[in-house]
Amino acid sequence: MTAVPESTDGVLVDRYGRVARDLRVSLTDKCNLRCTYCMPAEGLPWLAGPQLLGDEEIVRLVRVAVERLGVTEVRFTGGEPLIRPGLLGIVAAVAALRPRPRISLTTNGLGLERLAPALRTAGLDRVNVSLDTLDRDRFAALTRRDRHADVLAGLAGAARAGLTPVKINSVLMRGVNDDEAPALLRYALTHGYELRFIEQMPLDAQHGWDRSTMVTAAEILAALKQEFPLTADPTERGAAPAETWLVGDGPARVGVIASVTRPFCGDCDRTRLTADGQVRACLFATEESDLRGALRAGADDAELARRWRTAMWGKRAGHGIDDPTFLQPVRPMSAIGG
Ligand code: SAM
Ligand code: SF4
């Protein structure tokens, strides 16, 4: 592979000319739910304490990305980011960076009702909350925990605290909740949330994903159109993973993240940092670059930036889910940061 051209110093560019400005940071691989499409009932072998980046290490790496590599968006995720003890301090430290990045968080919503005001005060701009069903029993079966009411309360709490626009992420599974697309949209419209469906991807720890049974974007749109007039959203999509439609004449919108059937790798602007300090150029990458080791060995900011740029330069053109040679990454989604 050729070396990263010096002329591109200051940005995370790859060989295909894509520039990464959106950093996803996983704060933990642990979770307090057990969504069937994500992890097994017994959980996973979690990262040990010393493997995890400390709060100051996370903030330092985010600072390097913002100050030296042109990152303008920081999204905290996991595992479940709300269970990270130092979350508020991390958010506040990232909000103090200049130029200040936009800061968001993807969460399952448990505990969000209580934490939302403090997160807002710390500098969080908005949240994405995962909600796959409106039915309490289905939720309990799907997540293996009876916590549906907490998620709904978390959504409301986030809106009250001004973490807006509040977005909902929904994954549909055949025979489980694939009859709920219109009801989820009705719920989101009623409460002023923005709904996005995510096609299920081969990133589950159990390797249970099956292309032939996954619910596709086309099916989701067909189901929605039975009840709602949808028109293509004229807003420029840019690097956004979601394709969006206006509901009626707008301004309400609904999105579909069709990573499998309509991949958007050509416009990808994401770079990822795992909870144990590995840079990944893609959710589906099979290579990682160890920034934790470099950081703990005394690397200065310039060296960390150089390593990050090298990692991104090697980003592959696409995720290759449709290639016969496709191999699911060793880390599941919960350990990468979704
Ligand atoms: N625990 C938080 C949550 O559930 O929002 C953040 C981490 S979770 C891995 C991030 C998002 O990835 C969630 O919206 C979840 O539904 C989605 N997700 C998890 N496994 C997935 C899979 N195999 N395919 C598609 N989306 C998945
Ligand atoms: Fe936890 Fe999120 Fe995975 Fe569900 S999708 S098990 S909430 S990490």
Side-chain angles (χ1 to χ4, degrees):
M1 191 172 61
T2 54
V4 196
E6 273 179 31
S7 59
T8 63
D9 202 17
V11 283
L12 289 169
V13 65
D14 66 32
R15 288 166 295 160
Y16 304 94
R18 294 169 296 187
V19 176
R21 301 203 179 278
D22 182 343
L23 167 61
R24 308 280 162 112
V25 183
S26 173
L27 295 181
T28 175
D29 57 332
K30 292 202 185 90
C31 191
N32 42 12
L33 293 183
R34 294 285 183 274
C35 304
T36 50
Y37 54 79
C38 185
M39 59 172 83
E42 66 277 15
L44 292 165
W46 313 121
L47 292 166
Q51 291 176 283
L52 292 172
L53 293 178
D55 296 356
E56 286 178 10
E57 290 176 324
I58 290 177
V59 173
R60 172 152 178 227
L61 291 176
V62 175
R63 182 173 57 70
V64 168
V66 169
E67 290 179 352
R68 293 178 176 257
L69 297 169
V71 161
T72 56
E73 300 263 356
V74 177
R75 167 89 59 98
F76 294 112
T77 180
E80 177 44 47
L82 294 188
I83 64 177
R84 172 123 190 167
L87 174 64
L88 291 174
I90 293 171
V91 171
V94 170
L97 296 176
R98 294 293 176 269
R100 184 197 190 283
R102 281 182 295 274
I103 311 171
S104 58
L105 176 114
T106 301
T107 170
N108 62 27
L110 301 191
L112 182 59
E113 183 186 28
R114 184 178 56 81
L115 273 171
L119 282 166
R120 182 75 186 125
T121 304
L124 188 70
D125 293 312
R126 46 164 226 88
V127 286
N128 279 31
V129 179
S130 302
L131 176 70
D132 304 322
T133 176
L134 296 171
D135 181 271
R136 176 181 164 179
D137 293 331
R138 273 189 187 178
F139 182 91
L142 212 153
T143 66
R144 304 187 178 103
R145 302 286 187 271
D146 186 11
R147 305 290 301 272
H148 192 240
D150 301 66
V151 182
L152 302 189
L155 278 161
R160 270 197 309 277
L163 294 171
T164 52
V166 173
K167 296 189 182 175
I168 297 181
N169 290 350
S170 298
V171 176
L172 297 182
M173 279 152 296
R174 200 170 302 284
V176 177
N177 60 346
D178 56 338
D179 56 346
E180 285 197 63
L184 282 163
L185 180 53
R186 218 174 300 118
Y187 174 82
L189 294 175
T190 307
H191 291 84
Y193 308 142
E194 271 189 44
L195 177 63
R196 271 143 175 60
F197 292 96
I198 308 177
E199 279 183 345
Q200 194 183 352
M201 296 179 275
L203 286 169
D204 56 315
Q206 313 87 293
H207 291 230
W209 181 84
D210 181 351
R211 168 87 195 228
S212 65
T213 57
M214 62 162 279
V215 180
T216 64
E219 289 175 90
I220 296 166
L221 286 168
L224 293 176
K225 283 178 180 167
Q226 298 276 325
E227 295 195 28
F228 298 93
L230 300 184
T231 49
D233 186 349
T235 320
E236 182 71 39
R237 178 176 175 190
E243 241 178 294
T244 52
W245 283 264
L246 297 179
V247 183
D249 296 328
R253 295 187 301 172
V254 61
V256 182
I257 301 180
S259 320
V260 179
T261 61
R262 304 184 196 183
F264 36 85
C265 304
D267 292 317
C268 181
D269 73 343
R270 280 165 288 289
T271 181
R272 294 171 185 276
L273 182 65
T274 65
D276 56 346
Q278 311 299 304
V279 164
R280 296 178 63 92
C282 171
L283 266 178
F284 295 92
T286 47
E287 314 83 29
E288 298 184 338
S289 178
D290 179 22
L291 290 191
R292 183 193 64 195
L295 183 151
R296 291 185 184 171
D300 62 11
D301 289 354
E303 172 62 11
L304 294 170
R306 191 191 64 72
R307 285 176 182 245
W308 205 323
R309 274 169 41 76
T310 303
M312 292 307 293
W313 184 247
K315 179 168 173 142
R316 282 184 280 161
H319 57 45
I321 291 176
D322 283 330
D323 296 350
T325 56
F326 173 75
L327 280 181
Q328 188 173 328
V330 175
R331 280 188 200 251
M333 176 83 129
S334 56
I336 297 171

